[in-house]
Amino acid sequence: MKNCIKILTIIQAFSCYNIYGVALNEKKTNIIPATPHVNYTLDQQNTIYDGLPKSIIFIIADGTGIGQYSLSYYANGEFAPARFEHIGLVATHPNDGKCSSSCKRVTDSAASGTALSSGTKTYNGAIGVDSDTLSVKTMLEWAEEKNMATGLVATSTVTHATPASFAAHVDYRKKEWQIAEQFAQTNIDVILGGGKTFWPDELIAEYEKRGGQFIEKFDAKLNPEKRLLGLFADGSLPTVHEGRDPSTAQMARMALEKLEQNPNGFFVMIEESQVDWGGH
């Protein structure tokens, strides 16, 4: 028994030495390598509105929570949220099960996407429907009723759970073929991302027959009078480390340049989809 205690004591001691760097004569520190924060300033002339804003840009970093933001804040000098005057939290957990026994608290992109797009809590896997699988109106559809231009940008397939939750209504997120069919029947002005696999040639032909244009190359020549579908990969776009092309920023810029032509303003949802997968 005494020998066991001695062994455990030695292991614990050396563990402490390794953790704090004492064994290697390293200086104890809690400093994370970082760059100084950019001193963001706002042009107050551009932040004063008479009434509601004309357009809405809804940016979603899928799977990003307080942990990721905290790490980014400490590690990155160019931390854009530092410029925000107002910051809040929103709960997007599903409305799934009885909370006295089996209520789920961990959401997925479908339930959370529907909560964000419509304000309706629903079950995991639901795309634009409530707990009874009844369609709910999304803010993109609300914008269309106001004659605003609309757009969806994603680095996943464009029929993936988050973008789908803004413009489709199906009972389960994996039905991406069905989601693509619904997209083809909408009047969304710009759809950019990946997912060519879910758009067979006949569906693209139908989309074009309804006044749309389809591109697979980012530098393709565009008709400014037609709605735009850009699918730049069979599945999701490559990661940034793999050399993503086009980038999220490039797609966002393309969408904004087209949407801002509408005198009634626009709504666009831009999703960086793969933060979530990095967390997985």
Side-chain angles (χ1 to χ4, degrees):
M1 185 66 178
K2 290 182 179 180
N3 290 335
C4 290
I5 293 174
K6 288 180 181 179
I7 292 171
L8 290 174
T9 302
I10 292 171
I11 291 174
Q12 183 178 10
F14 274 103
S15 296
C16 292
Y17 288 155
N18 289 333
I19 291 173
Y20 296 114
V22 175
L24 301 176
N25 294 320
E26 294 177 346
K27 185 178 180 180
K28 180 181 176 181
T29 178
N30 60 359
I31 297 175
I32 299 175
T35 55
H37 281 132
V38 174
N39 183 23
Y40 288 111
T41 58
L42 289 174
D43 182 354
Q44 294 300 322
Q45 292 181 345
N46 293 329
T47 61
I48 299 174
Y49 299 98
D50 293 328
L52 297 174
K54 183 177 181 179
S55 299
I56 300 171
I57 302 173
F58 193 165
I59 300 176
I60 298 176
D62 192 328
T64 303
I66 295 175
Q68 286 89 343
Y69 278 118
S70 298
L71 179 61
S72 183
Y73 173 79
Y74 286 117
N76 298 320
E78 296 186 5
F79 183 69
R83 76 179 72 183
F84 296 166
E85 293 185 358
H86 304 285
I87 296 176
L89 298 175
V90 59
T92 60
H93 57 270
N95 177 20
D96 194 354
K98 295 182 179 180
C99 286
S100 60
S101 57
S102 61
C103 183
K104 294 181 179 179
R105 291 303 186 191
V106 180
T107 191
D108 77 333
S109 292
S112 58
T114 301
L116 292 172
S117 70
S118 69
T120 301
K121 294 285 184 63
T122 187
Y123 60 91
N124 282 344
I127 298 294
V129 297
D130 62 17
S131 297
D132 297 318
T133 69
L134 299 176
S135 296
V136 292
K137 183 183 290 186
T138 70
M139 62 175 66
L140 183 143
E141 293 166 337
W142 171 86
E144 288 182 333
E145 290 182 355
K146 303 295 181 182
N147 295 317
M148 300 167 68
T150 56
L152 294 173
V153 177
T155 60
S156 61
T157 59
V158 296
T159 49
H160 212 256
T162 301
S165 297
F166 282 79
H169 306 277
V170 299
D171 60 352
Y172 187 51
R173 59 180 292 174
K174 296 295 185 180
K175 297 181 178 180
E176 293 192 57
W177 301 95
Q178 185 176 337
I179 292 168
E181 291 174 357
Q182 291 190 21
F183 274 17
Q185 295 298 320
T186 67
N187 292 316
I188 302 173
D189 295 276
V190 180
I191 303 173
L192 302 176
K196 175 63 170 61
T197 296
F198 301 105
W199 293 75
D201 292 343
E202 57 270 23
L203 185 61
I204 291 177
E206 180 182 342
Y207 174 82
E208 292 176 325
K209 186 181 297 184
R210 295 187 64 253
Q213 60 187 313
F214 168 66
I215 62 171
E216 293 182 89
K217 301 294 183 181
F218 188 75
D219 57 357
K221 187 175 181 180
L222 301 179
N223 183 337
E225 303 299 322
K226 291 187 175 183
R227 290 179 287 110
L228 173 61
L229 171 65
L231 302 176
F232 307 113
D234 288 335
S236 300
L237 297 182
T239 66
V240 173
H241 298 295
E242 294 171 334
R244 178 183 297 164
D245 184 26
S247 68
T248 312
Q250 287 175 313
M251 292 191 295
R253 189 175 297 111
M254 173 182 278
L256 293 172
E257 287 175 353
K258 183 170 180 60
L259 296 174
E260 66 184 2
Q261 303 304 315
N262 188 318
N264 297 316
F266 63 83
F267 169 83
V268 62
M269 192 286 296
I270 302 170
E271 183 200 26
E272 175 45 71
S273 317
Q274 301 188 28
V275 179
D276 190 28
W277 306 343
H280 291 176

